[in-house]
Amino acid sequence: MMSQPTISEPMSETSTGTTSTSQAAKVTPPLKLDILRIIRLCQQQHGLRHGDYQRYRSFCSRRLRRIRKSLEATYGNQKKFQKPVITDELVAKDSRYLLLPLICSERAWAYAMQLKSEANTEARKKFHLLNRLRKAVKHAAHLENLCNQQKTCDARTKLEVQAYTAVMNGHLKFELQQWSNALEYYVRAQTIYDKLKTGVRSEEDKLMLDQRIDEITTNVRFCQYKSGDKNAAKELRNLRTKAALDDPEMTRVLDAFLSETHEQQTSSIAEITWRQRKIQVSSEKARLFFLNLQEFETEIKKPGVSFDTKMSLYESFLKEAVETSQVIKDELKNDPTFKPTPASAAPADNAKRENTDRLSDGVWLYSYIAWIRLSKMIERNLAMIENGKQQVFRSVDGEKTDVSGGKKVTKAADLIRMYDLLLQFLNDIVAIPALQNDKTIQSDVNFQTIVYKACRSFYIAISFVQQKRFKDSAALVNKTETYMEQAKKLAASGQQPKSSEINYQTLLNEFTFIQSKLDEVKYQIQTSATSTPTPAGSVSPKVGAIQQSFDEVLSPEEQKELEKKPLIDRLETYFEDLSLTNKNRLNVVSLPPPFKPIPCKPVLFDLALNHLTFPSLDDKVQSKRQAMSTLSDRGQQQQAGLTGFVKGFFSWGAKKQ
């Protein structure tokens, strides 16, 4: 009994010595986890680029299931529930165990953000939102504990986990409106990310950290503003114009700040003046809209604002304009003076219109908001047209356009669509109830319609040139010149009303760019038409409409040759044929028309049928007749048996013979 320990002791010493040497020879790799990179890539690829939190939450659930299945860390089986416990030993064996609390925290946070968007209509979801944020904080704290207990975990991973936990705690305190505590957590996370930025070499990681710091800075400024810092309000307004287009969370926080500050200023807007009419503003939604209009005009006119930022500002403002217009329209359901007229049924100039003096303040307010909305939509489309002009002419000239940035290249068809929308917006302006009798608006709309029709015809001609439809493009070039002359005469005639809100001469500057390109398009049409081979039997486009589109006069010999032909055979060539004015000498068509060979319908005659001898089928006919007679005899017997049975059934009282 005593000999066993003595024997086992040297053996244990040798075994421990061998294991220590093997552990020294085998170095354990450090535990790393790029938390910010993981969550950023997942968020951008699965819905958060467009603010779809439900899609991101579903992705987190699917990924959790895949990780648990691969690690065999499921919740028991169908018969028994067993919650898997993540220990330090499991994390040391496989670092994927750290992804479980991280993805759980992301899923809870995404669910909370989804509930926040739904809590505007259902107030009870606010409590569910707070519970999900507490769950996210719990999972983030669990992740931090696991990383701190691992000796092999590197310092960068621990710092990222601490920053992530601080951000989640800040979100929870932010929703609880504990501004000082939220500010403390956000500042802690911001400090950690600033330290991490100093040790990063790749530009991609620096950009990712900058975006994260910008998000936290927005929340920090908002918490400072709520805590009483007045300087934070100015910084928040500046951040609104620089908000990232793919960051809905930052935009949401800034919009909440702007709406709150506007609510404090709405009491100052009780009356507005438009078209020499004072309008009482009683709706709170309308007051907020006019305050946002002032902010929008200030931000859009700032120097250095990029095109994408302008489009983002236009989209957010127009969305609010549509909502406000719908609210005012719902309030006018019982107003007898409100009769909305669709643009397609807009009254004509000579039609009887309702007197605008009888309209109520609500109708005037609705008309003003509708006019603002349509005016801003016209401004947005003009900005988009101005941005896409150069790309169209690069493709026409054969130059290669740069599509490496992933942006859509503007084509002539896109500009045509934008001008169609402009004409539609102008028709909608005429149909606004308070503007149906306004002659100033009507004259402005008529002039703008002529200008935009000229631009639309020009870009349709460009599109036809790209499609090698040179005859159609030449006709549209002439139409463009006609519209341009008409607009110039109208501007030079001095018919512009004094109260007009547009400058006719400034609007004619649209023709400067078109006029500079019009001659190039003409020469390109002529060159392409003459160099393009024409099929046999067809008239060359140079002799047809394209040659005559640019005021080229035919010689007398050519005119005499053309006079001999009927009008139907020379429709592509125009000249003043005096013979067409004489009823006795009309040469329109040739009568009778010339014969044309046409394929005739074939007629088949079966001439061999009468000379064929077919085989005899008498034996088959006789056998068929016998079978039919047999079947008829059986049917008669069955019928007789049935009638006899019925007669016997009813003949119990008959006398037997």
Side-chain angles (χ1 to χ4, degrees):
M1 295 295 292
M2 296 297 294
S3 61
Q4 292 179 358
T6 57
I7 296 171
S8 62
E9 286 176 358
M11 293 178 62
S12 62
E13 289 176 359
T14 56
S15 62
T16 54
T18 55
T19 54
S20 62
T21 55
S22 63
Q23 288 178 359
K26 184 179 179 182
V27 179
T28 305
L31 185 62
K32 294 183 179 180
L33 187 66
D34 295 334
I35 294 178
L36 185 60
R37 177 183 290 275
I38 290 172
I39 62 176
R40 273 293 176 182
L41 291 177
C42 293
Q43 289 175 0
Q44 293 297 318
Q45 294 176 3
H46 297 91
L48 287 201
R49 180 175 294 180
H50 311 290
D52 192 351
Y53 292 100
Q54 184 177 3
R55 178 184 167 191
Y56 181 58
R57 179 170 67 91
S58 302
F59 160 75
C60 292
S61 299
R62 294 192 301 270
R63 189 173 185 188
L64 275 174
R65 181 176 178 81
R66 291 195 297 267
I67 295 174
R68 285 169 179 162
K69 192 172 182 180
S70 62
L71 295 174
E72 297 181 356
T74 56
Y75 285 86
N77 50 30
Q78 296 180 354
K79 297 181 180 179
K80 184 179 180 181
F81 173 80
Q82 184 178 1
K83 183 178 180 180
V85 180
I86 303 175
T87 59
D88 299 339
E89 292 78 8
L90 294 176
V91 175
K93 291 180 181 179
D94 196 338
S95 62
R96 289 182 296 172
Y97 280 98
L98 292 177
L99 291 175
L100 292 176
L102 177 62
I103 302 300
C104 285
S105 179
E106 283 291 298
R107 180 176 64 171
W109 170 79
Y111 196 7
M113 294 300 102
Q114 177 189 345
L115 292 170
K116 188 168 187 176
S117 61
E118 298 173 358
N120 297 327
T121 56
E122 302 180 28
R124 292 292 303 173
K125 291 189 176 181
K126 179 74 173 179
F127 302 101
H128 194 184
L129 180 154
L130 296 174
N131 290 333
R132 298 314 301 173
L133 283 178
R134 292 189 182 99
K135 183 69 72 173
V137 170
K138 179 181 177 182
H139 288 300
H142 185 203
L143 176 63
E144 185 178 1
N145 292 332
L146 290 174
C147 291
N148 291 332
Q149 293 173 4
Q150 292 294 323
K151 297 180 180 180
T152 59
C153 186
D154 63 342
R156 178 181 175 82
T157 302
K158 290 183 178 180
L159 286 175
E160 285 197 29
V161 170
Q162 291 175 9
Y164 181 78
T165 307
V167 169
M168 286 298 167
N169 279 288
H171 289 335
L172 176 60
K173 302 301 180 183
F174 189 91
E175 295 299 331
L176 291 172
Q177 297 184 2
Q178 299 177 6
W179 309 116
S180 58
N181 295 335
L183 181 62
E184 181 181 353
Y185 283 115
Y186 283 137
V187 170
R188 183 188 305 174
Q190 191 177 18
T191 305
I192 294 174
Y193 283 125
D194 285 331
K195 291 181 180 179
L196 289 173
K197 187 178 176 182
T198 58
V200 172
R201 294 183 178 181
S202 64
E203 294 295 331
E204 184 179 358
D205 291 340
K206 287 183 179 179
L207 179 61
M208 201 175 297
L209 287 169
D210 287 335
Q211 292 177 354
R212 188 69 165 175
I213 291 171
D214 290 340
E215 294 176 6
I216 298 172
T217 303
T218 306
N219 294 333
V220 167
R221 295 290 182 269
F222 193 82
C223 293
Q224 290 175 349
Y225 166 74
K226 283 291 188 178
S227 300
D229 190 356
K230 297 182 179 179
N231 295 327
K234 296 180 180 179
E235 296 181 5
L236 283 171
R237 288 192 180 93
N238 295 331
L239 286 173
R240 180 61 183 87
T241 58
K242 300 177 182 179
L245 299 177
D246 55 351
D247 190 359
E249 184 65 20
M250 182 188 295
T251 306
R252 181 186 60 79
V253 174
L254 293 171
D255 288 340
F257 156 72
L258 292 176
S259 63
E260 183 176 349
T261 55
H262 288 167
E263 286 177 0
Q264 300 173 0
Q265 303 172 2
T266 50
S267 58
S268 61
I269 299 181
E271 186 180 77
I272 57 174
T273 304
W274 179 60
R275 316 300 295 179
Q276 300 178 356
R277 169 74 180 251
K278 292 184 178 181
I279 307 170
Q280 298 294 330
V281 183
S282 58
S283 175
E284 191 70 21
K285 183 70 174 176
R287 293 179 180 178
L288 286 174
F289 171 75
F290 290 122
L291 284 173
N292 290 331
L293 175 62
Q294 297 174 3
E295 293 285 344
F296 168 76
E297 291 179 347
T298 304
E299 293 173 359
I300 207 72
K301 293 178 181 179
K302 287 182 178 179
V305 181
S306 63
F307 174 76
D308 293 336
T309 305
K310 283 185 179 180
M311 293 299 106
S312 176
L313 292 173
Y314 272 116
E315 290 298 330
S316 59
F317 176 75
L318 290 175
K319 181 180 179 181
E320 185 179 3
V322 171
E323 294 175 356
T324 308
S325 179
Q326 186 62 40
V327 169
I328 302 300
K329 187 177 181 180
D330 293 339
E331 294 177 357
L332 295 175
K333 288 182 178 180
N334 299 325
D335 193 337
T337 62
F338 178 62
K339 297 178 182 179
T341 306
S344 58
D349 293 337
N350 55 356
K352 183 179 179 181
R353 304 183 182 185
E354 188 175 357
N355 190 3
T356 56
D357 296 335
R358 300 178 181 177
L359 299 178
S360 62
D361 284 347
V363 178
W364 274 93
L365 182 61
Y366 169 78
S367 302
Y368 186 31
I369 295 173
W371 179 79
I372 292 174
R373 178 177 63 86
L374 293 171
S375 301
K376 298 306 176 184
M377 291 172 77
I378 291 174
E379 291 179 8
R380 181 197 61 182
N381 277 28
L382 289 175
M384 294 169 67
I385 289 170
E386 190 67 28
N387 185 62
K389 280 181 181 179
Q390 301 299 330
Q391 294 182 7
V392 172
F393 284 96
R394 285 176 189 169
S395 60
V396 171
D397 297 337
E399 299 180 9
K400 293 184 179 180
T401 54
D402 184 15
V403 294
S404 59
K407 295 184 179 180
K408 181 182 177 182
V409 179
T410 307
K411 300 179 181 179
D414 299 329
L415 297 184
I416 295 167
R417 174 60 179 163
M418 292 178 193
Y419 278 112
D420 287 336
L421 292 174
L422 287 177
L423 296 174
Q424 181 181 348
F425 297 154
L426 292 174
N427 290 334
D428 293 342
I429 287 176
V430 178
I432 293 175
L435 300 179
Q436 294 181 5
N437 285 337
D438 198 323
K439 295 182 179 180
T440 303
I441 291 291
Q442 294 172 16
S443 61
D444 292 347
V445 166
N446 291 335
F447 184 76
Q448 288 176 296
T449 302
I450 296 172
V451 173
Y452 296 146
K453 280 185 177 180
C455 300
R456 177 178 174 273
S457 301
F458 173 70
Y459 286 108
I460 294 176
I462 296 295
S463 178
F464 284 166
V465 168
Q466 295 174 354
Q467 300 174 15
K468 297 183 180 181
R469 297 171 57 181
F470 303 114
K471 298 178 183 179
D472 299 333
S473 60
L476 284 164
V477 167
N478 285 341
K479 192 173 183 180
T480 303
E481 291 179 339
T482 303
Y483 280 130
M484 291 171 63
E485 291 296 330
Q486 186 177 355
K488 290 178 181 178
K489 289 181 180 178
L490 190 60
S493 62
Q495 297 181 4
Q496 180 180 4
K498 295 181 180 180
S499 59
S500 177
E501 298 182 358
I502 62 172
N503 191 350
Y504 286 10
Q505 295 297 331
T506 305
L507 196 59
L508 287 178
N509 293 334
E510 294 282 338
F511 294 155
T512 305
F513 180 78
I514 294 177
Q515 192 66 45
S516 63
K517 297 290 183 179
L518 203 58
D519 294 334
E520 297 179 11
V521 175
K522 287 182 182 180
Y523 293 133
Q524 187 176 5
I525 292 171
Q526 289 181 344
T527 305
S528 303
T530 54
S531 61
T532 303
T534 56
S538 63
V539 182
S540 174
K542 182 178 179 181
V543 182
I546 296 175
Q547 182 181 5
Q548 294 302 320
S549 298
F550 308 122
D551 300 332
E552 295 184 6
V553 182
L554 295 175
S555 62
E557 291 77 9
E558 291 177 345
Q559 290 186 8
K560 289 181 181 180
E561 292 180 1
L562 290 173
E563 286 179 358
K564 296 178 182 179
K565 295 181 180 180
L567 180 61
I568 196 172
D569 295 335
R570 51 183 174 88
L571 291 175
E572 296 179 349
T573 306
Y574 174 78
F575 70 99
E576 294 183 1
D577 190 0
L578 299 178
S579 63
L580 296 176
T581 59
N582 190 355
K583 297 182 180 180
N584 299 325
R585 295 179 55 191
L586 285 178
N587 188 12
V588 180
V589 294
S590 57
L591 293 175
F595 291 100
K596 293 183 180 180
I598 60 173
C600 98
K601 184 178 180 181
V603 180
L604 301 177
F605 299 98
D606 196 353
L607 302 177
L609 181 62
N610 298 329
H611 300 280
L612 296 177
T613 55
F614 296 100
S616 177
L617 301 175
D618 293 338
D619 53 347
K620 295 184 178 181
V621 172
Q622 290 178 359
S623 61
K624 188 175 181 180
R625 288 177 179 174
Q626 291 176 1
M628 292 294 293
S629 62
T630 304
L631 291 173
S632 63
D633 294 340
R634 289 179 182 177
Q636 290 177 1
Q637 291 176 2
Q638 291 177 359
Q639 186 177 4
L642 181 62
T643 53
F645 173 76
V646 174
K647 288 180 181 179
F649 182 75
F650 289 104
S651 61
W652 61 82
K655 294 182 180 181
K656 296 182 179 180
Q657 294 179 356

